[in-house]
Structure formats: structure tokens, C-alpha cells
Amino acid sequence: MIDYERFLNPEQLEAVTAGDGPLLVLAAAGTGKTQTLVYRVAHLIGRGVPPAAILLLTFTNRAAREMLERARSVAGDSAAEVWGGTFHHVCNRMLRRHAPRLGYRHDFIIADRDDSRKLIDDCVKELKLGGKEFPGKDVLAGLFSHAVNRDEPLEDVVGTRLDHLACNIEDVCCVQQRYIELKEKLAVMDFDDLLLNGLRLITEHEDIRRLYQKQFQHILVDEYQDTNLLQAQFVDTLVGSEDGNIMVVGDDFQCIYSWRGADFRNIMSFPARYPNARIVRLERNYRSVPEILEVANASIAQNPEQFQKTLRATRGGGSRPMLHIVKDGREQAEVIVRLIRRYQDSGLALRDMAVLYRAHFHSIELQMELGRVNIPAAVTSGIGVFEQAHSKDVLALLRLAHDPQDRLAFDRLICLLPGVGPRTAATLWHKLGSVCDCRNPARRAQLAGLLRPAAREGWEAIDSALDDYFADEPHTRASKLIGGFVKGFYEGYLTKTYENASERVDDVYELGAQIDNSPSVAAFLQEVALLTNTDQVDGRETGRQADAVRLSTVHQAKGLEWPVVFIIWAVEGMFPSARAVGELADDSEERRLFYVATTRAREALHILVPGWRHVKGGQIYPCVQSRFVTEIPNRLLDTRYGLKF
DNA sequence: ACTTTATGCGTTTTT
DNA sequence: CGCATAAAGT
């Protein structure tokens, strides 16, 4: 029997041991939200609920993995059978089983952000729209996504978000229509389709809805404040009744994804949608020293219309957060280097420290400085390994090998050949009859015959790699195909295309090893589009990751904590970001982001405010201290100037 | 004429 | 890194 009272405080215990019925846990930052979810899962299993009857929806795959691992150590190995993952992941898993019910193949292709933008661009060109006044593909993708995730008509979204642009709303709708048709034709779902079709599956098909309602006796949702309307509908439908077994955990103060359609009204209206919901508040913060919490509380108090919560400290006194007024980005980097060295001398490891910023490019100057003075830094970069060109190239080869109809993969692969671009790729695809059966040597030879000599040479190398690969069936190993591909063709391509070709070669071999270790190549390919950079970085950390300072955007730091945190570029226009303030005329989400940043720190928080910003071209702009700093009472901060501290 | 490739520049946040 | 534009290649 688990001694819950030993590991949980009274509020956490109440949430963990609550009986059936809806439950809303308002868990402020650092109050043991994860602990509560982990023990709730353990408690349910202990009560006799079959693990496979529990659905745990999280914001990242990493969060699900961590929670289930911990639940496993508390409740035993059976916890591994709990369904856990992101909404996209769970929808994908359901859709792989039932896709034909919606007119899709089981092996539909997932289009990542790049793929869908490319497809949208194709639609625009096909409809001969384009032009100066017409929105670009990113804007269009954003509009489509917004409409889907908020369940609003596209016309309204275009009307409100694009009123300054004198473009025809109907044209935009035409592009969307064409985009939807094109996706259907290519058997492709984009990220939004996974959610949309996951929801359609259980709303339009009663038997499937019943199946999953019966299977999932308990549904738990983490980071509920960052769900969008579609996701909330998905959960509500699966729960089925207003007295169902649904537990949602969240903190409206930490809703930072509304630009992606998240709507913290989901959490605000939860008590109205589930009138009998029990509400538990977790306010005892175990993470940070009181001085840091005071700053966080003072900051978030500026936002109206939220569930009132105050972080109460449980820890003893530490020291006040430091505000560093520095000359410019260079001095900012210098201050951080000195502070890092000082913390190292006092016994902290580099992995105990993190530098947080609003946008990736804010960190470039610091990265260079850290490199110069040999302080190892782990950057959670904007694009993960799987999203980088070389991974995608290799994945395209594997995808095409396993699915002759994967046009996106074909295009990508064939365009690597010299003298072949999108146009020739399209012609070739047509000439081949909309299939590229790599399993069939005769078909591969046919393709070779259609290519120009320069391109043919490259294709022949790929051809022999494919030949070797299929010779081993059914025990094909991805690493073998990748090895042949790299040696015969890709290494040469990489060396003439990129500076850091050898790193990329290493990455690609690593990718092969990972696929060999996964259950099957096909399963890996079906999941890979949903794996994110943070999943990947953490995967590596367990491996050979050395001790390093973490550099991260605030968004990617969500759910993490460090003894020492630096927030850089706390100036107007950068944090809050100029775009966010201009577009929304409401800075509350940016303030929540600042709140998330401050509450990542356990012992020490340093906020840096440079006075000048060097833009390339030699221009210098003065910086104004961020409103988020200015609105904090002076007495809560320890202000230092320049290099004196 | 049509395609591919080279060059220079600007960057919010991401499943 | 991706995008737009201009130049080179077929």
C-alpha cells in the first residue's frame, strides 16, 4: 500500500484520492502538479482501474513519458499500459485504426508545418492568385489553422485578422478549398487534421465513440489552460456526461499558447460545463524562494479576469531577484558569463542554470560569447533534429521505400538530384503514373531512364542502396539503407551543400540507429512527424549529454525548473515582443509568459536589461526597460549596474 | 522559354 | 533557416 500522506499535502491528497466525477485542479506554478497527476494515476490503478482504461493527455510527449515513468515506479510496471501523450498523438493512434471510416487509408501521411505550407503555396499558384496584395503561405496557413482550432468560419477569421489587407476573402476560401482537396488526393493530414478528424471520428460515428467512451474510464488532462476549443470538445465528447470521470489540471496564469488557438476560457468555464465538479486549489509552492514568488505574484496581479490564486511560499528565505542594468548585449553576455563562473565556484553545475528569452534569435550573441569562453551550452533550438533538412531527406527516402504513393517524400528525394527541381519532379511523378515503387527494380530503372545523365548517376547510387535494402527482407534495417544512401550519394550532396556536412552525417547515422531500435520502421515513420525538438533534446540528455547551461525560449521552458535562471533582453519590443503587443492590443499573454519565466527559478533569478541594441548594419537603438520589470515594486528587486555586483 | 541555382536578408512563440 | 530576386544553365 502506498503511503500517500507521506508524499502529498492535504490539497494534493484531496485531488489524488477524490472519488469518481469531474475534478478541476487549479495548480499554480511549482505546486506539485506533476506529483499530483502521477499519484492520481497510481491511486486509480491501486483502486483496480485497468491501466489501459486511463487516458492521460499532456502537452508534450516528454511530459507523458516522464509522468508514466514515475507512475510506474510508484504503482508498478502496469502503469506503462496507460494511454498517454499529446492530443495529436492520441488522435493519430485512434485514426490509424479507424481512418477508412473517414475516407482515409490507414497509412495516411502526416504533413508537418513545412509540407503544409508547400502544399498551400502550390494551391495559390494553381489558382493563379499570388500577387502583392495576396497573403503569403505562412499567413494563409495561420488563418486556416486558426479557423480549424477555434472552430470559426474562415470568412470571419479572414475578416478580423486581415481587415487591413485589400484581398478578396473568397479567394482565400478558394485556396483553402483547394488545399483540402489536395490533401485528400495525396492521402495527407496536417497537424490540424489530426485533431479535427480525431474529433470527427468520435462525433460522427457513434460506435467508435461508444468504443472509446467504454475504454477510457478515467481521463486526465494536463496543462488544460493551453487546450483549444477542438481539444476541449474532444475531451468533452470522450467523457460523454457532465458527471464523467474527468480530471483537468491547469493554471490560467500560465496560458501562453493562445496564438495557437488555446483558449483559457476552457478552464474558466469548466465549472459551468461540469456543474458538479469538485475544485481543488494548489497554492503551496515548493519550488522557489519567497523573494522570487513575490515578484511573480506582483507581476501577474496586473492581469484581470483570472482565477485568483496567490503563490504561498513553503521554503525559507533566499535572496531577492537581481535586476541588472547593462550597457548592451555584449555587456549582458559578459555579466552572465561572470555570474555563471561565480555559481560554478559555489558548487553549482552548469545544468543547474538556464537562460530564458522571448525569441530564439535573442540568444545568438550570448551563444557566441559562451562559445568564446568555452562554457558548454545546450540550446533547445528552434528546429529539432527531425525537422532539419538532412533528417527530412533521409526520412523521405525511407518513406518512399515503404509507401510508393508518398508524393511528398518523392518530391523531396528527387529534388536532391542535380538539375532536378520541383518542376521536373512533378513531371516525373506524372510519367511514372503517380507511383514510385522502389521495391520493383524495373520501375526504378524506368525512373533512371527518364533522368538527365547528371541526375541519373545520383539515382543509380540510391537505386543500389534500395536493392541491398530489399534483399534483406523481411529483416530490413533502416541503418543499412541509410548507410548505402549516405555513402553512395548523400555524403557528397551534403559536402557541397553545407558547411557542417560531417555533423549532419553523424545525425543521419544516429537516426538510423534510432529507427533500428524502434518497434518497426513503419511505426517510426508514422510517429516521427509528431516528435518535437524538446522530445529529442531530452532523449539525448539521457545519453551522452554533457553538463551544460540550458538556453531556451520561455515557451520551451514550460514545465521545467532550474536553481538559477537568467531572463535576458527584458526590454520593450523584445519581451514583450513588439508583434504581440501591436497585434493583440493586449499584453496579458505576454505577461503570463513573463510569469512563467520567473517561476522557473528555484534559488536565484537574474533579469537583464540592456540599454542599447546593436542591429546589423552598425545601427544602434536605445532600449526601454520592459513594462514587466517597471511594474514590479522596487523593493522586491536588487538592482545592480553594469559589471558591479 | 522555362528551370535550376546563387546570393543576400530578415527572424515570435510550436503540436 | 527560409524567402525573394537575379543570374546562369538547359
Side-chain angles (χ1 to χ4, degrees), chain A residues 32-99:
Chain A
K33 173 186 69 124
T34 308
Q35 179 88 339
T36 305
L37 275 166
V38 165
Y39 276 88
R40 176 68 178 176
V41 170
H43 176 77
L44 290 173
I45 293 173
R47 243 176 54 188
V49 178
I54 300 171
L55 174 62
L56 174 65
L57 289 160
T58 55
F59 199 72
T60 61
N61 291 309
R62 170 178 56 77
R65 201 172 53 230
E66 273 175 17
M67 279 191 228
L68 294 183
E69 255 162 43
R70 282 177 56 186
R72 209 167 150 177
S73 69
V74 178
D77 286 347
S78 66
E81 289 159 41
V82 171
W83 275 54
T86 61
F87 282 88
H88 291 85
H89 177 90
V90 169
C91 286
N92 183 40
R93 201 167 158 184
M94 284 164 58
L95 286 164
R96 293 289 171 195
R97 281 170 73 182
H98 311 287

Side-chain angles (χ1 to χ4, degrees), chain A residues 232-273:
Chain A
Q233 285 175 358
F234 180 77
V235 171
D236 288 347
T237 309
L238 273 184
V239 174
S241 106
E242 62 176 41
D243 291 310
N245 298 324
I246 164 88
M247 172 184 185
V248 303
V249 181
D251 177 6
D252 50 311
F253 288 175
Q254 294 186 68
C255 173
I256 54 175
Y257 281 91
S258 63
W259 48 272
R260 208 176 79 189
D263 191 340
F264 70 80
R265 280 173 299 187
N266 284 338
I267 194 170
M268 305 300 282
S269 69
F270 188 85
R273 296 197 330 275

Side-chain angles (χ1 to χ4, degrees), chain A residues 332-334 336-338 340-341 350 355 363-379 548-551 566:
Chain A
Q332 173 175 253
E334 215 173 314
I336 289 178
V337 167
R338 287 197 192 186
I340 289 174
R341 291 256 156 83
L350 290 173
V355 180
S363 72
I364 294 169
E365 196 174 14
L366 179 63
Q367 277 181 54
M368 294 199 298
E369 179 66 12
L370 290 174
R372 205 178 60 77
V373 299
N374 282 322
I375 294 179
V379 187
V549 179
R550 180 61 142 271
L551 268 59
F566 304 93

